[in-house]
Amino acid sequence: MERRNYRTNVWVDWCPGCGNFGILTGIYRALEELSLDPDRTVIVSGIGCSSKIPHFVYANGVHTLHGRAIPFATGIKLANPELTVIVHGGDGDLLGIGAGHFVALGRRNLDIVVILHNNGVYGLTKGQASPTLPLGVKTKSLVEPNIQNAFNPIMLALAAGYTFVARSYAFDTNHLKNIIKEAVLHKGAAFIDVLQPCVTFNDVYTADFYRKSVYKLEDDKAWDPYVRKPEEAQEKMLRAMEKALQQGEKIPIGRFYVNPFVSTFEERISQRLKAYPGLNPSNSVIEVQGEPVVNQKNFEKIFRDFIIETQTL
Ligand SMILES: Cc1ncc(C[n+]2csc(CCOP(=O)(O)OP(=O)(O)O)c2C)c(N)n1
Ligand code: SF4
Ligand SMILES: [Mg+2]
């Protein structure tokens, strides 16, 4: 298989030592080993330090609006289901302003990968507390300890309906690369919570802290996150939630829950619109000589199942 190169010569302007470098390495290695076609791979991000990542990967990239990467990615995937779509965002971006979209993607189970750069702070805007920073924790740019509770991204992803839910650590690029590869191959909404040290603003959850606290779920031979028949989905979900509640001194990384039995959004749409995905919008003519056209034939084929005979009163 042809080995592809996703690396660029662009100056990567994160602070020296930032965990985002580990995540970038993980994504390079995963895409290279999967040998995905860069022309058919799309990296979508919101706004934040983490969201600069589309500029650094040699593939299609869209650097969108704060909190809105998932709606952009949803549109891209629905318009052309043949693309591999990967969303990157910070904890503020995906779980603060973008939390509603994060939940909606889980409910749809659209075949997209979401990679959370979880650093506990709003890095780009100088270190305010993010939704993953626990109550009472005082990082160096907070005047007082954090006044709000954190929420657990793994618990939220499980409750929302993501069918591949995992966590990794930015500086264990081998582990991260393997999880990203599996998430890309999974059919359905995949979520990876990546613990990411921010050397400039988070002096509590540092690389040193994670080196001591992180352990791998896969080291426990009895741990099996895969739903192997639909009847065991609930039991596996409960076990995943129990593991997700482990925080503080011992933080599990690895796969929490993988359920291949839930229909994807693309499959659900195909059931209603028989012509989809073959006649998806990306395969339709939209302009001729610079003029927009409504391709009546395609339009009718796509929507014929929705046409309702109306009666004139
Ligand atoms: C609508 C809107 N509100 C607020 C901002 C300001 N803003 C830019 S990035 C950001 C948060 C970044 O934090 P996070 O998403 O955790 O990313 P990080 O920088 O930590 O990677 C905020 C609040 C904005 N750009 N747009
Ligand atoms: S502010 Fe933090 S998250 Fe942003 S580039 Fe610097 S170390 Fe990384
Ligand atoms: Mg952040």
Side-chain angles (χ1 to χ4, degrees), residues 7 14-15 31 45 66 88 90 94 109 152 158-159 171 173 177 187 195 222 230 239 247 260 266 270 312:
R7 302 174 196 233
W14 291 315
C15 310
L31 296 179
S45 70
H66 193 37
H88 282 264
L94 289 172
N109 198 32
N152 183 319
L158 290 168
F171 288 134
T173 56
K177 176 260 297 178
K187 288 276 155 261
L195 306 170
R239 288 185 51 200
Q247 282 170 320
E266 300 92 306
S270 301
T312 330

Side-chain angles (χ1 to χ4, degrees), residues 152-155 157-158 162-168 175 179 182 191-193 195 215-218 223-227 233 235-247 251-259:
N152 183 319
I154 298 283
M155 292 288 274
L158 290 168
Y162 285 76
T163 49
F164 180 101
V165 180
R167 182 186 283 138
S168 191
H175 185 269
I179 297 249
E182 202 175 316
F191 171 63
I192 311 172
D193 173 20
L195 306 170
Y215 78 95
K216 292 188 177 119
L217 286 168
E218 45 272 29
W223 177 249
D224 179 12
Y226 298 95
V227 175
E235 184 212 321
K236 289 271 160 95
M237 165 95 52
L238 286 171
R239 288 185 51 200
M241 287 184 163
E242 207 178 337
K243 278 282 180 216
L245 287 173
Q246 277 185 14
Q247 282 170 320
I251 304 174
I253 61 170
R255 295 122 185 114
F256 284 77
Y257 181 77
V258 185
N259 185 352

Side-chain angles (χ1 to χ4, degrees), residues 25 114 138 160:
T25 306
V114 177
K138 188 184 167 316

Side-chain angles (χ1 to χ4, degrees), residues 35-57:
S35 206
L36 295 177
D37 180 352
D39 287 342
R40 299 193 151 262
T41 306
V42 192
I43 312 279
V44 188
S45 70
I47 299 292
C49 297
S50 42
S51 288
K52 293 180 179 177
I53 212 159
H55 302 275
F56 309 144
V57 181

Side-chain angles (χ1 to χ4, degrees), residues 108-239:
R108 292 179 175 136
N109 198 32
L110 185 67
D111 188 18
I112 285 179
V113 180
V114 177
I115 301 181
L116 170 70
H117 298 225
N118 184 353
N119 58 13
V121 292
Y122 288 7
L124 191 74
T125 50
K126 307 277 181 277
Q128 299 86 347
S130 88
T132 59
L133 191 74
L135 174 71
V137 172
K138 188 184 167 316
T139 49
K140 65 200 236 192
S141 56
L142 297 183
V143 179
E144 298 280 349
N146 186 17
I147 198 169
Q148 300 188 78
N149 273 316
F151 65 77
N152 183 319
I154 298 283
M155 292 288 274
L156 184 66
L158 290 168
Y162 285 76
T163 49
F164 180 101
V165 180
R167 182 186 283 138
S168 191
Y169 172 47
F171 288 134
D172 189 340
T173 56
N174 210 35
H175 185 269
L176 177 60
K177 176 260 297 178
N178 287 331
I179 297 249
I180 294 174
K181 279 173 71 182
E182 202 175 316
V184 168
L185 296 175
H186 174 79
K187 288 276 155 261
F191 171 63
I192 311 172
D193 173 20
V194 188
L195 306 170
Q196 177 240 316
C198 165
V199 285
T200 302
F201 296 113
N202 194 333
D203 53 341
V204 179
Y205 298 104
T206 58
D208 201 36
F209 169 86
Y210 286 127
R211 205 173 300 116
K212 291 179 194 138
S213 56
V214 156
Y215 78 95
K216 292 188 177 119
L217 286 168
E218 45 272 29
D219 286 347
D220 174 3
K221 295 289 167 253
W223 177 249
D224 179 12
Y226 298 95
V227 175
R228 293 174 194 278
K229 43 188 182 198
E231 307 86 86
E232 61 181 36
Q234 191 174 339
E235 184 212 321
K236 289 271 160 95
M237 165 95 52
L238 286 171
R239 288 185 51 200

